[in-house]
Amino acid sequence: MEEKYIVALEIGSSKIKGAVGTVDTAGALSVKSVEEEKLSDGVRYGCIRNVVETANAIRSVISRLEQREAQRKVTGVYVSVGGRSLNSQAIEVERRFATETEITMEMISDIINDALNQPLHERSVVCVTPREFRVDKAPTTRAVGMMGSHISARLNLISCRNQLMRNLHNVLNERLQLKVQDVFVRQLAEADLVLFSEEKRLGCMLVDFGAETTAVSIYKNGVLEYLTTIPMGSRNITRDITALNHLEERAEELKIMGGNALPTTEQNVVYSNAAADYSQINNYVAARAGEIIANINEQLKYAGFNAEKLPGGIIIVGKGAKLNGFNQRLENMTGMKVRVGAPTTRIRINDGRIQSADAVDVIAILSAAAKNNPVECMTRPAPVFTESPRPADPQTIYTTKTQTAQQTQTTQTSQQTTTSPAAAGTPRQSAPAAATEPVRTPKTTPVTPQAPKIEYEVEDEPASTRPQEKSGFRRAWGGLVDRVAKLMTEPIEDDEDDDDK
């Protein structure tokens, strides 16, 4: 069985990222290529604003990915959702039975469907994650097969604004004709990729420091307890620097080359770039970085936690985490240890130019897809069959050549007989009719024509015979139910997995 090619798209506020990976029969993922295209204002706070600009950027990324994989065309993608409008809320769903009953997968799926169909004002539910599951008031992580008369599930209902989903559908399904194979929540996919199981059980915070948003997720006892998005990111720091009469592009360069998030009194860095006054620049950088970190720290209180309850510390991802001094200041202000997130699972990177820590967001989507019945996303062109010409009969070729030579010789003899009196200068005289022997044209055997070259192209089935397909997002809905049901019926952590790590 051949490897499956899967394609992931990460639509961020500053750039579009695309990645191609292959999944073998054992489920192992290999990342083959990653491409990106910068955006200016096509996406704001994780939501597509300019569908034309965003579609063009995605088309450019897809085209470059196809060039890296010869003779393959992208027909489907896995995508993630995130941004300012994404949040979670806790809900509880119960089921009671008249008598003690065996808990089945159908019952669990029914509970999840109830959660997914919760009515929300102008919002779409994109995922459900378990927080606590009880059978007859006893907590459990393995519900299927248990006996009980009462099931209680406390769930995280993760939703986003309807506009985010509508614009995704507009760009991917309608404009680019790409099938959306499944939709993942970016923060959840990143957590599965970069967090160790021990960190989730002890308690930890995942911070995704992006361009315009900073997402905060808190895990305790192996499950997601809190998720929110702060509408501030590294681009806020860049735009603050523009107050010093710099264009945004130049302000970004200055931030990357010499920006420092630590207060001036804590900096011990001497910059050789005399063209820029970093004392003024870093006043803006440190002030905005301190504000972002204060908002991150405040989420601990909103979630009902403190640093002592999260000994796993803070794991930070995103390009914003590369800002000089930011991680150190985050550690100082929160009192928690900080590390940069990188893939913890066994993922092969086939291209040496790919920095896994920089591509966590898009690799996380590939990893999530590889674990959930991946679907082929790249297809080869329809095969073209050509029929070889039929070989001619050797006897026919010999006979035809002989007859052609005889005809040529007879014609030349006739011409010489007709023109010879004129060449001698004597009057032309007509020969007696009886003396003229008629020229007999030899009977020729018809030549078998060479068979024409015929091309057969594989045609699509008529539209009337194909089953009616749902839109990409609705088609992914059934997979989401199965995925969440699996989470709620299996142990949160496996001892065997822990041993491997």
Side-chain angles (χ1 to χ4, degrees), residues 403-478:
Q403 293 171 348
T404 303
Q406 290 176 355
Q407 290 180 15
T408 303
Q409 184 178 1
T410 303
T411 303
Q412 291 176 352
T413 303
S414 175
Q415 291 175 353
Q416 291 175 1
T417 305
T418 304
T419 58
S420 59
T426 58
R428 183 176 296 176
Q429 297 179 358
S430 298
T436 303
E437 186 175 331
V439 179
R440 297 180 180 178
T441 302
K443 186 177 181 181
T444 61
T445 304
V447 181
T448 304
Q450 191 178 39
K453 194 171 184 179
I454 304 174
E455 295 187 354
Y456 302 94
E457 297 213 0
V458 178
E459 298 182 355
D460 293 335
E461 299 178 35
S464 59
T465 62
R466 291 197 301 264
Q468 187 69 24
E469 292 187 353
K470 300 178 181 178
S471 68
F473 295 102
R474 298 304 300 175
R475 190 167 52 248
W477 197 264

Side-chain angles (χ1 to χ4, degrees), residues 304-317:
F305 291 95
N306 54 39
E308 289 73 23
K309 291 183 179 179
L310 301 177
I314 297 175
I315 298 85
I316 187 168
V317 297

Side-chain angles (χ1 to χ4, degrees), residues 239-299:
R239 289 176 174 167
D240 287 345
I241 300 174
T242 61
L244 298 174
N245 298 323
H246 295 294
L247 294 176
E248 188 168 333
E249 295 80 4
R250 176 59 177 162
E252 180 71 15
E253 292 176 3
L254 293 171
K255 181 186 73 174
I256 293 173
M257 289 189 298
N260 198 313
L262 291 170
T264 306
T265 55
E266 299 181 30
Q267 295 180 22
N268 288 316
V269 182
V270 177
Y271 301 103
S272 61
N273 188 353
D277 182 1
Y278 275 103
S279 61
Q280 291 187 21
I281 291 172
N282 285 332
N283 286 336
Y284 285 98
V285 175
R288 183 66 72 174
E291 183 182 3
I292 293 172
I293 293 173
N295 276 272
I296 293 173
N297 197 22
E298 200 69 16
Q299 304 310 311

Side-chain angles (χ1 to χ4, degrees), residues 142 197 201 490-499:
R142 198 186 295 260
S197 61
R201 286 186 291 175
E490 293 185 351
I492 295 174
E493 300 295 343
D494 249 331
D495 292 337
E496 293 181 0
D497 293 342
D498 295 339
D499 293 341

